[in-house]
Amino acid sequence: MFSAGQFSAAPRELTPVGNSTPAAGNSTPAAEATSTAAPRVAAEAASLLKVVGAGSAADASVFPPKKGHPNHSPDRTLLEAPVTMYSKAHPDRMKTYLSPNVPDLFLAAKESVLEAPVIVGEGLFGVHVEVASRGGAKISFPIFNGMAYISGNYSGGLTPLVSHEHGLEKQTKASPGIWSFFNRRHIEYRVYVLNHKGVLVDNTYDFDTAGHLNQQLDGWVRIARVLAEGDRKILDAHAEAVVVGCELDVSADGSGVHYKFQKVGPSSVKLLHLAYGHHLQLMGM
């Protein structure tokens, strides 16, 4: 299972201050949650807000996954704010700063038979990771620096699942093979389903409200964050170009370098990839 988020560190687990389910799209602030735990737990949660340095309770919202969701666990929740820990000997000195992982969505499969991820290929700019089942079915993730989409290649009889630990706020179908998914923080991702050749699937494919595709897939699922109103059109136009390789090519006389990308999809669809400003200068763009 791979997730899309803003941070890379592991999540910090806490004892929840309450088990009330947040309203659609809203978190339950820790200070306002209906506590079913012991008073000591509530006191620890209150002191945690001071450690976090939150301006208000809403800045350090803590809430459990949606009840009824397969990943719901009433005795576990996630802290969705950075945590600063100070030295006991020197209270004014920072000891540790933790930036927890806050996943936006995850790519997985309905069939819960997958093993731990394994790196099966590695290069200068990325890796290929596989999550396989004992029966041979697998999801392959090509992960490269600067990729605009997270892409999973499903094969061997798996049903894609695109969701979140807290469930989805909503999802809407834009056109055959293209959807908009919203998590419960109102963050929008464009979701694409492609066949094994990298072409968008037909209208017989659809997701249910929990994020399950309605049939097994021999092909790709891609997701990309929508940050601005114009992003959807751009992301849709390049969704059928999947990066599966990248190499640095140096000219014979040493006068220049350029990137050589390998992709899956129609030759007419141009690749969309992210770069730093100095990369653009290096490539004369």
Side-chain angles (χ1 to χ4, degrees):
M1 180 174 72
F2 276 73
S3 61
Q6 298 171 313
F7 305 102
S8 58
R12 178 178 174 85
E13 295 191 353
L14 299 172
T15 303
V17 298
N19 293 328
S20 58
T21 303
N26 296 320
S27 61
T28 303
E32 298 176 5
T34 302
S35 177
T36 58
R40 180 180 62 84
V41 175
E44 289 176 354
S47 64
L48 176 65
L49 296 180
K50 298 178 182 179
V51 175
V52 171
S56 65
D59 292 337
S61 300
V62 180
F63 57 93
K66 180 181 178 182
K67 291 181 179 179
H69 189 275
N71 292 330
H72 171 68
S73 177
D75 61 348
R76 181 174 65 88
T77 189
L78 299 177
L79 173 67
E80 297 197 350
V83 175
T84 303
M85 301 178 67
Y86 293 91
S87 169
K88 292 183 179 180
H90 303 279
D92 59 334
R93 295 184 182 179
M94 184 185 299
K95 180 180 179 181
T96 306
Y97 182 84
L98 302 177
S99 182
N101 178 42
V102 184
D104 289 342
L105 289 178
F106 60 70
L107 288 183
K110 179 180 178 181
E111 298 79 7
S112 57
V113 293
L114 299 177
E115 304 291 335
V118 176
I119 296 177
V120 296
E122 187 172 4
L124 285 175
F125 302 104
V127 297
H128 283 260
V129 179
E130 286 187 357
V131 183
S133 71
R134 295 179 180 178
K138 64 182 179 181
I139 312 174
S140 301
F141 296 91
I143 302 173
F144 290 90
N145 292 334
M147 61 187 191
Y149 310 78
I150 293 177
S151 308
N153 185 16
Y154 290 72
S155 61
L158 293 175
T159 307
L161 168 62
V162 182
S163 191
H164 187 275
E165 282 191 336
H166 306 146
L168 299 171
E169 181 180 62
K170 64 178 180 178
Q171 59 91 354
T172 57
K173 191 172 189 177
S175 61
I178 303 177
W179 292 260
S180 280
F181 276 52
F182 293 81
N183 67 19
R184 291 182 178 272
R185 293 193 302 276
H186 317 296
I187 296 174
E188 179 184 359
Y189 273 79
R190 211 62 162 169
V191 176
Y192 306 92
V193 177
L194 290 66
N195 63 23
H196 68 283
K197 295 182 179 180
V199 178
L200 290 167
V201 297
D202 59 35
N203 211 30
T204 62
Y205 289 80
D206 207 354
F207 286 95
D208 63 18
T209 56
H212 297 98
L213 196 65
N214 62 351
Q215 54 188 293
Q216 293 182 345
L217 178 69
D218 180 16
W220 296 86
V221 175
R222 313 193 75 195
I223 65 175
R225 174 81 177 267
V226 176
L227 294 172
E229 191 65 29
D231 288 353
R232 300 183 194 90
K233 183 177 180 180
I234 296 172
L235 293 169
D236 292 356
H238 299 275
E240 293 178 306
V242 185
V243 178
V244 294
C246 180
E247 297 177 355
L248 188 66
D249 189 38
V250 182
S251 60
D253 59 3
S255 60
V257 298
H258 65 276
Y259 296 104
K260 293 180 63 176
F261 290 97
Q262 295 84 47
K263 72 180 184 72
V264 171
S267 59
S268 59
V269 180
K270 293 184 178 181
L271 184 68
L272 177 65
H273 209 68
L274 305 180
Y276 290 109
H278 68 277
H279 290 164
L280 300 180
Q281 296 175 1
L282 178 67
M283 293 184 287
M285 300 177 67

